[in-house]
Structure formats: structure tokens, C-alpha cells
Amino acid sequence: MLRLEKVSVDIAGAPVLRGVDLVVPPGARVALIGRNGAGKTTTLRTLMGLLPARGGISIDGQPCTDAPAHRRAALGIGYAPEERRLFGSFTVLENLRLPAEVLKLPEAELKRRLEMVFGLLPELREFGPRKAAGLSGGQGKMVALGRALMVGTRAVLLDEPFQGLAPALALRYAEALGRLRALLPDVALLITESSPDLLRGLVEQTFVIERGEIQPAAA
Amino acid sequence: MMAWLSDNGLLLGLAVLDGLASAASIFMVAVGLNLVFGVLRILNVAHGSLYAIGAYTAASITLFLTSHGLPVWLSFPALVVAAALVGVILGPLIERVLLKRVEKQEPVLQLLVTFALFMILEDVQKLIWGVQPVSNDTPMRLLGTIDVPFGADVIPFTAYQLFVLPGIALFTLVGLAWFMRRTLTGRVIVAVTTDREAATSQGIDSAKITMLTFTFGAMLAALGGALASPMSSMVPGVGASTIVLSFAVVATAGLGQVEGAAIAAVMIGLGRSIAVYLEPELEVVVPYLIMVLVLLVRPQGLFGVTETRRI
Ligand SMILES: Nc1ncnc2c1ncn2[C@@H]1O[C@H](COP(=O)(O)OP(=O)(O)OP(=O)(O)O)[C@@H](O)[C@H]1O
Ligand SMILES: [Mg+2]
């Protein structure tokens, strides 16, 4: 369970999140919709502990407003940032393994998760030995999703995953997210997008963010 | 040409030897500077002071050994021990007390802070080691010389300059490349260098890695100094000339380039020492001449890559 309670965040002196409340229950599929500059990325970065915030942030009941950001992975939160942010000089496989290795997961568990990711996104097995810098934007998005799933045992945060994907790839991506529900029913998903259309059928709950304020979407 | 060579061959041979030896030590400093810049994004002007303190410390340890009748061969491990001591004591201290606090400040302020630190460390050196030249030639004398025929002449190369120094630099080069690619800690350092926030989201304690890397970089600078200490005596100001030389090496090679820094160090080391033997007035300018020429043609440095960020 991810919870934001009256959370406010300022960036460069200007308020970007204004006392937002957001709850993502275990296994829930939640969309956060908002136009450019509304504060979607800021919401996810705040959940990841990457920005100084006021108010209450908790993960599975543990308050972690001031907990160091790097502990999020250990708490089972996977994050696929808007611009992929893969490590270009590493291979795809090294990118996928890195968060699990940092967590000191036993090799058997690491392999198990890797197989789960390959099962969901078979193209990643092929990309494995390639340098991440040589991937196309869409391929990179797939790798970023796979990487988030390597440690995201409780929740996975996806920042505009469909942005910039060619229609065929967007379809593949949506289909993979759909299968995720059956594959990992306990893992919560929080997905941001600028339009709700792409997420239709993938989420059961939608929130709207506008100028740093989050509201449940009108049904 | 041949006549010139036979007249100057001996000089040139000595120049090459000197140049390679100084390249080896400057390489260590430059690589450390690169590592530190990578994780901190701060150009640490005081990095040269760590070189100087490493050199002085090595000399002090050797002096202690010889004055207490301890085995002289210990002066070799003393070079490494000096570097480790300087790195482990000063590294975390400087990073935690000073640089971490200005992490989010303007680059100009960061630069000023490291410059202030440089000035402080210069004074600390004068307080501890005085202003008279300090020398540490025990390791060099122990290994003696090797006569190498050079044309009609025979050059007495010192074994220390010929083998020990380039050997350790080469070992550092290969070891570092292996460490960065093949170990988890190495990959984690690369990750923090590439994208600190992304690394943090992957579970990496970037603050800890930064301190670790800073300490490691400080150790490399101190090792550069310790290894150079047997070749020439230390005087105040050695830190300043070291930092400008290693800036030149890093700029010539391109930021973040390890193998490139080795090649740039050899170019600049050789250029400088050949100048010393042939045209001493040029010694000071040659390294920067090389740097400027390279940067005019390739602004990103010989081996630097211009990062293209794809959305
Ligand atoms: N580093 C920054 N410096 C200054 N302002 C920022 C910074 N990052 C974000 N902002 C501001 O915060 C607001 C929210 O930004 P955020 O990136 O969260 O929006 P977003 O909903 O993700 O937008 P997009 O759809 O373009 O990704 C914007 O108005 C933006 O101008
Ligand atoms: Mg955004």
C-alpha cells in the first residue's frame, strides 16, 4: 500500500504538489492522469523519495517521508522513469540485474525474477547482450519496465510508459501490462499518462492531477 | 638528423625515461580526479594537495624506517601504505565535512570551496614538513640502475623509473578497467556517475558510493605522489603544479576516460620532459600547448564522447 497524505512539494521555490492525497492499495491498478506540467512526474518522484516533501508518505504502513530514497527498492518499489534512464554503457542484462544485485538477492531468486520478466517481455531475452545505449526509445521503455519489475514486488510506478511508443509497440506494451495482472496479482501498478484512453481496461481506478492537486476521476 | 641524434640521443633517451615516469604518476592523479568528478560533479582543486601529502607522508614513513634501523626494503610497501593512509583519513573527512555540504550549490561556489581547501592544505603541509626540500630517494637507490646501450652511449636507467613506476601505473590502468566492468561495486560507481537519481531509484546508496569513490580517488592521488617522491624532492607548491598538469591530462583525454587519460598522460609527460632536456624554457607551456591543440581540434578531448540524450 502506497499512501500520500497531505503531501506538498516545492521545486525551485514554487509549489508543485499542493497537499495531495493518494492511496494505492496492494495489487491495485491505478492511473494518474494529467496534462503536461500538472505534476505527474513530481508525484512519482515524491513517492520514490527523490524530492524533499512535507506531509505523510508511507509504504505498507511504514512512514517514510524522510527515509533515504535508495531504500525504496528494498521496500519492493520498482520505478520506470519517464525518460527510461537506463545505464547506456551497460548491457540490457546488466541493467536488469543491477537493482537485484544491489539488493543482494540470492542468484536463484534473481534468475527466477529474470525468467518472469523474460516470460512477460520475451524480446528482452534477445536484447540481453546489447548495450542499452543502442536501443530504440520503445525498446528502452520495455527494458525500463522489466528493470522496475526486478525489484517491484509490492508496487511498480510507470511514468508515461506509452509516450513515444509506435502504435504496434504500444499495443505490445499494453498487452504485457494486462498479463501482469494474472502473473503478479499482488503487485500494485501506478501509471501516469496524459490521456486516459491508453489505459482503458488496464486500470480499475483513475485519479486526475491538475496544477498539483489530485482528485479521483469522475466516474 | 643522424648527427643531431648522436649528439642528443643520450639526452633524448633520458627525457623519454623521465617523461614516462612522470606520466605514470600524473596518470594516477588524473584518473583519481576523473573518478571524483564523475560522482561529485565537482572539480576538486585540492586533489593536487593529496598528491603532495601522499609524497610527504611516504618520505616521512621512510625516514622513520631508516632512523629506527628497520629493514630498508620496507620503504616500498611504505609508498602504498602512505597512499592508503592519506586516502582513508583525508578522503572521508574532506567529502563528508566539506564537499557533501556544497553538493547542491552553484559550481562556482563549489570550485571556491575546493580552492580554499587547497590553500588550507598547502599551509598544513608547510606546518608539518616545513619549506625546505624533503627527499625520499631510498627506494630508488635500493634498486640501483640498469645500463641500457643507446647508440654509442650507455644510459644508466634507474630500475625504479624503468620498471616500478610504469609497472604500477599499468597495473592500476588494467585493474581499474577490470574493477569498473566486472565487479558490482565498479558497476555501481559507473551507475552513480552516469545518472545519480536513476542509480538511487535502483536501490543504490549514492551518498555512500560517492564517499567511497572520493576516498578511492584520494588514494590514487596520494599514490601518484608517493610513487613520484623517490624521483625528486618535495617543495611547497608541488600540489599546485600537479593539479594543473592533471587538469591538462583530463581535458586532453576527455572527461571520464580512463584509458584515454593514460595516453594523454604519456603525451603530456613526454612532451614536458623532452622540453626540459631540449628547450627548458618551454617546460611549463608544453603540457598546455598539447592540451590547447587537442581541444581546438576536438573540444570534447581525444577520447571524449559528446553525450546525445535520446528521449
Ligand atoms: N527541476 C525543475 N525546476 C523547476 N520547475 C520544475 C522542475 N521540475 C518540474 N518543475 C515544474 O513542476 C511542475 C510539474 O512538473 P512535472 O514534471 O511533475 O509535470 P508532469 O505532469 O510530469 O508533466 P509532463 O507531462 O510534461 O511530463 C511543472 O510546472 C514544472 O514546470
Ligand atoms: Mg512527467
Side-chain angles (χ1 to χ4, degrees):
Chain A
M1 168 108 80
L2 307 177
R3 185 192 290 272
L4 295 180
E5 265 179 303
K6 302 242 170 325
V7 170
S8 297
V9 172
D10 296 348
I11 298 181
V16 174
L17 293 187
R18 306 159 193 259
V20 300
D21 293 304
L22 181 70
V23 177
V24 181
R29 317 279 138 152
V30 176
L32 180 64
I33 309 295
R35 63 185 90 218
N36 290 131
K40 303 181 294 292
T41 299
T42 305
T43 306
L44 297 195
R45 288 178 73 218
T46 301
L47 275 166
M48 288 306 291
L50 296 166
L51 292 167
R54 300 181 304 279
I57 305 172
S58 68
I59 294 170
D60 288 333
Q62 280 192 54
C64 48
T65 310
D66 299 313
H70 73 269
R71 301 293 307 279
R72 297 297 201 273
L75 292 172
I77 314 297
Y79 173 45
E82 192 169 359
E83 288 172 355
R84 308 188 310 273
R85 311 280 280 268
L86 300 173
F87 301 111
S89 64
F90 296 170
T91 65
V92 167
L93 192 60
E94 283 169 338
N95 268 286
L96 292 172
R97 293 181 59 106
L98 184 70
E101 287 180 347
V102 169
L103 281 186
K104 304 259 181 295
L105 290 187
E107 185 64 22
E109 174 62 13
L110 191 153
K111 286 256 164 63
R112 198 189 62 74
R113 292 192 192 182
L114 211 50
E115 284 308 315
M116 179 271 293
V117 168
F118 288 155
L120 189 74
L121 305 161
E123 50 268 74
L124 295 196
R125 199 192 295 272
E126 267 164 64
F127 297 159
R130 281 170 60 181
K131 286 263 188 287
L135 296 178
S136 77
Q139 294 167 335
K141 288 248 168 178
M142 295 286 184
V143 179
L145 172 62
R147 180 173 70 169
L149 289 169
M150 287 298 288
V151 289
T153 51
R154 319 288 300 171
V156 172
L157 316 183
L158 307 175
D159 198 356
E160 301 201 41
F162 293 98
Q163 189 196 45
L165 290 192
L169 207 55
L171 223 59
R172 279 274 307 116
Y173 198 103
E175 180 259 338
L177 285 184
R179 277 193 292 135
L180 201 56
R181 186 198 289 264
L183 205 61
L184 303 168
D186 303 330
V187 178
L189 272 186
L190 176 59
I191 312 175
T192 74
E193 267 309 325
S194 51
S195 140
D197 303 341
L198 289 160
L199 300 179
R200 211 143 272 154
L202 285 175
V203 298
E204 58 258 12
Q205 218 181 339
T206 301
F207 289 87
V208 173
I209 182 164
E210 204 166 331
R211 287 190 212 165
E213 291 183 25
I214 297 182
Q215 306 282 333
Chain B
M1 180 67 190
M2 287 319 287
W4 182 87
L5 250 188
S6 70
D7 285 351
N8 294 280
L10 182 65
L11 283 183
L12 209 61
L14 284 169
V16 168
L17 172 66
D18 260 7
L20 285 179
S22 85
S25 108
I26 286 296
F27 163 72
M28 313 280 248
V29 187
V31 155
L33 189 70
N34 244 333
L35 278 175
V36 168
F37 180 80
V39 291
L40 265 178
R41 301 283 147 178
I42 294 178
L43 212 45
N44 180 20
V45 176
H47 195 69
S49 310
L50 297 164
Y51 169 98
I53 294 173
Y56 276 121
T57 307
S60 290
I61 296 179
T62 304
L63 190 69
F64 175 87
L65 292 173
T66 46
S67 65
H68 284 71
L70 291 160
V72 278
W73 62 264
L74 282 175
S75 61
F76 291 106
L79 301 174
V80 178
V81 169
L85 275 179
V86 171
V88 166
I89 295 172
L90 287 182
L93 194 71
I94 294 173
E95 202 273 336
R96 277 291 133 101
V97 175
L98 217 57
L99 301 183
K100 194 173 164 49
R101 283 167 207 270
V102 295
E103 205 173 33
K104 301 209 164 71
Q105 305 287 335
E106 299 284 316
V108 177
L109 186 92
Q110 297 173 336
L111 207 62
L112 283 176
V113 165
T114 69
F115 187 68
L117 176 65
F118 164 77
M119 303 293 272
I120 294 168
L121 290 178
E122 282 292 294
D123 279 342
V124 168
Q125 287 161 50
K126 286 181 198 155
L127 272 176
I128 302 179
W129 289 284
V131 292
Q132 297 304 318
V134 172
S135 71
N136 178 33
D137 60 354
T138 310
M140 192 123 128
R141 277 190 291 112
L142 274 179
L143 286 182
T145 57
I146 293 166
D147 290 332
V148 178
F150 199 94
D153 300 299
V154 167
I155 309 181
F157 281 118
T158 62
Y160 183 82
Q161 278 177 300
L162 195 57
F163 299 120
V164 177
L165 209 50
I168 292 180
L170 215 59
F171 177 81
T172 305
L173 173 64
V174 175
L176 200 64
W178 175 84
F179 176 76
M180 289 304 207
R181 265 161 226 158
R182 297 277 167 255
T183 69
L184 179 59
T185 309
R187 280 202 298 275
V188 162
I189 292 174
V190 174
V192 173
T193 301
T194 314
D195 187 337
R196 194 183 182 85
E197 181 171 309
T200 304
S201 318
Q202 303 308 313
I204 294 169
D205 185 348
S206 298
K208 191 178 96 187
I209 292 302
T210 301
M211 188 179 80
L212 195 90
T213 310
F214 187 88
T215 302
F216 187 46
M219 242 182 240
L220 283 173
L223 186 60
L227 290 175
S229 68
M231 297 188 302
S232 57
S233 48
M234 281 78 72
V235 285
V238 65
S241 56
T242 304
I243 193 63
V244 281
L245 267 183
S246 47
F247 276 157
V249 167
V250 170
T252 305
L255 268 173
Q257 301 299 310
V258 174
E259 288 87 351
I263 293 169
V266 169
M267 281 168 59
I268 285 176
L270 279 184
R272 192 170 69 123
S273 65
I274 289 173
V276 172
Y277 281 94
L278 300 181
E279 218 49 75
E281 309 87 78
L282 290 183
E283 177 198 352
V284 198
V285 285
V286 163
Y288 312 109
L289 213 60
I290 295 176
M291 179 182 83
V292 167
L293 285 179
V294 166
L295 294 186
L296 279 177
V297 184
R298 276 181 71 84
Q300 70 274 40
L302 281 180
F303 308 94
V305 279
T306 38
E307 292 237 339
T308 47
R309 180 107 182 249
R310 290 191 290 164
I311 309 291

